[in-house]
Amino acid sequence: MKAIVCTKYGSPDVLQLQEVAKPAPQDDEVLIKIYAASVNARDWRFMRAKPFFIRLMPGGFLQPKNKILGADVAGRIESIGNNIKQFKSGDEVFGYLPSTTGRGTFAEYVCANENAIALKPVNLSFEQAAAVPLAAMTALQGLRDNGNIQPGQKVLINGASGGVGSFAVQIAKAFGAEVIAVCSTRNLEMVCSIGADHVIDYTKEDFTQNGQKYDLILAVNGYHPISDYLRALSPDGIYVVAGGSMLQLFQAALQGRRTSKTGGQKTYVNVNNV
Ligand SMILES: NC(=O)c1ccc[n+]([C@@H]2O[C@H](COP(=O)([O-])OP(=O)(O)OC[C@H]3O[C@@H](n4cnc5c(N)ncnc54)[C@H](OP(=O)(O)O)[C@@H]3O)[C@@H](O)[C@H]2O)c1
């Protein structure tokens, strides 16, 4: 089969279209003929080995361990292993294959455990379905599982116009929250069109300095010092970091240890999906 192979760490020039062996499913796997895959921030991180610790886990120290990138997939099941119960050949499916599986979806075929996939809704195209898993899961985990989002809360999403953020805006609205979306000028209209109640252009205004308080802040990108985030949070608010600068993630991880014992404001780092 054909696959985009990441030969070494570096710029996009390291990616090559190559002929590789077509995988065969184990007993607990299905073989998917891939119709669409999506590109996420994690793919360029694995390609460039940025941040450096990608090389330690789960990347491969000197060169990429998983040579085929891509985690999101949508396609049709071509064959199934002996123990597969939930799916049959011909099913249209979509899903997410974390790096721990050692599989990549920038290829013609991939094998997946049946727990990693679901039937594709009929009203979604393969392209639409492939765009959902990693970004939407990250948004849902951040808002619901870590953020304990509740109807009527004021929820701010920093980095609202990208993959994770645009799902976060829609999910927060579906939970009945008042949504404040932070992005750049060119995307203000788009985030309103998907449901944001208020927008803040980060090129013109710093939301941590305007005196407003939020019940839940989901930080998807950018950088603000932890003290600024906590100042913009209500006394019992929750701050969840899903992405952005490494310093932002690091500060939140340290703060999370402190606040988890004291009550009041809480801080979580949501980095489940790599
Ligand atoms: N925790 C996890 O498991 C997980 C999963 C997926 C992604 N991530 C991480 O989450 C981050 C975003 O991923 P993504 O897929 O949403 O990326 P993306 O599609 O590239 O979107 C990036 C977003 O960040 C915004 N942005 C850029 N600079 C900003 C700044 N200084 N302040 C505020 N917003 C800014 C962009 O807005 P404009 O375009 O309007 O400038 C855009 O909305 C990455 O760091 C990624 O590694 C984490």
Side-chain angles (χ1 to χ4, degrees):
M1 69 167 183
K2 290 190 174 54
I4 303 291
V5 175
C6 185
T7 52
K8 55 186 177 181
Y9 292 125
S11 65
D13 309 334
V14 300
L15 301 178
Q16 291 177 4
L17 180 63
Q18 288 186 3
E19 198 65 39
V20 301
K22 183 176 167 182
Q26 307 282 317
D27 286 347
D28 58 351
E29 289 182 326
V30 302
L31 175 67
I32 301 170
K33 164 87 178 136
I34 299 175
Y35 289 173
S38 62
V39 182
N40 287 283
R42 57 90 75 192
D43 299 310
W44 70 256
R45 288 190 187 285
F46 276 100
M47 182 186 74
R48 292 186 182 268
K50 280 196 176 164
F52 185 83
F53 68 72
I54 289 274
R55 292 172 186 259
L56 305 177
M57 50 72 66
F61 192 70
L62 295 176
Q63 54 176 313
K65 197 161 85 188
N66 299 341
K67 295 221 167 355
I68 303 176
L69 300 177
D72 282 337
V73 63
R76 195 183 300 275
I77 293 182
E78 185 161 290
S79 62
I80 62 173
N82 293 329
N83 298 338
I84 294 298
K85 303 273 187 300
Q86 304 175 56
F87 301 99
K88 59 183 185 320
S89 295
D91 282 348
E92 295 180 351
V93 294
F94 73 130
Y96 163 69
L97 304 179
S99 56
T100 48
T101 63
R103 314 282 193 197
T105 61
F106 297 166
E108 287 185 287
Y109 295 90
V110 73
C111 289
N113 188 287
E114 64 180 340
N115 296 328
I117 55 172
L119 287 174
K120 179 181 79 61
V122 285
N123 60 339
L124 288 189
S125 68
F126 287 104
E127 290 80 2
Q128 288 169 329
V132 172
L134 173 56
M137 260 186 342
T138 303
L140 184 64
Q141 289 162 350
L143 292 170
R144 184 194 62 188
D145 304 348
N146 294 130
N148 190 27
I149 187 169
Q150 300 295 323
Q153 283 186 328
K154 281 178 79 170
V155 176
L156 181 136
I157 295 153
N158 189 27
S161 55
V164 177
S166 57
F167 279 107
V169 169
Q170 297 170 80
I171 291 169
K173 280 306 288 179
F175 272 98
E178 181 184 347
V179 177
I180 300 91
V182 182
C183 62
S184 68
T185 319
R186 68 192 171 112
N187 287 316
L188 296 175
E189 226 171 278
M190 187 277 284
V191 293
C192 286
S193 76
I194 58 172
D197 298 293
H198 314 280
V199 287
I200 296 177
D201 182 342
Y202 68 76
T203 66
K204 301 203 170 113
E205 184 183 345
D206 180 346
F207 74 87
T208 66
Q209 306 295 332
N210 64 10
Q212 296 291 314
K213 303 271 186 205
Y214 306 99
D215 301 303
L216 171 58
I217 297 177
L218 179 66
V220 181
N221 216 338
Y223 170 76
H224 289 280
I226 182 89
S227 52
D228 286 4
Y229 275 115
L230 297 183
R231 190 174 53 246
L233 207 55
S234 62
D236 54 356
I238 299 181
Y239 165 48
V240 182
V241 185
S245 83
M246 280 304 122
L247 186 57
Q248 177 162 285
L249 287 155
F250 184 64
Q251 289 176 350
L254 280 181
Q255 182 67 23
R257 287 188 181 184
R258 282 187 216 123
T259 55
S260 61
K261 293 193 186 116
T262 55
Q265 294 180 329
K266 291 201 164 48
T267 303
Y268 296 97
V269 179
N270 175 30
V271 283
N272 300 327
N273 310 313
V274 284

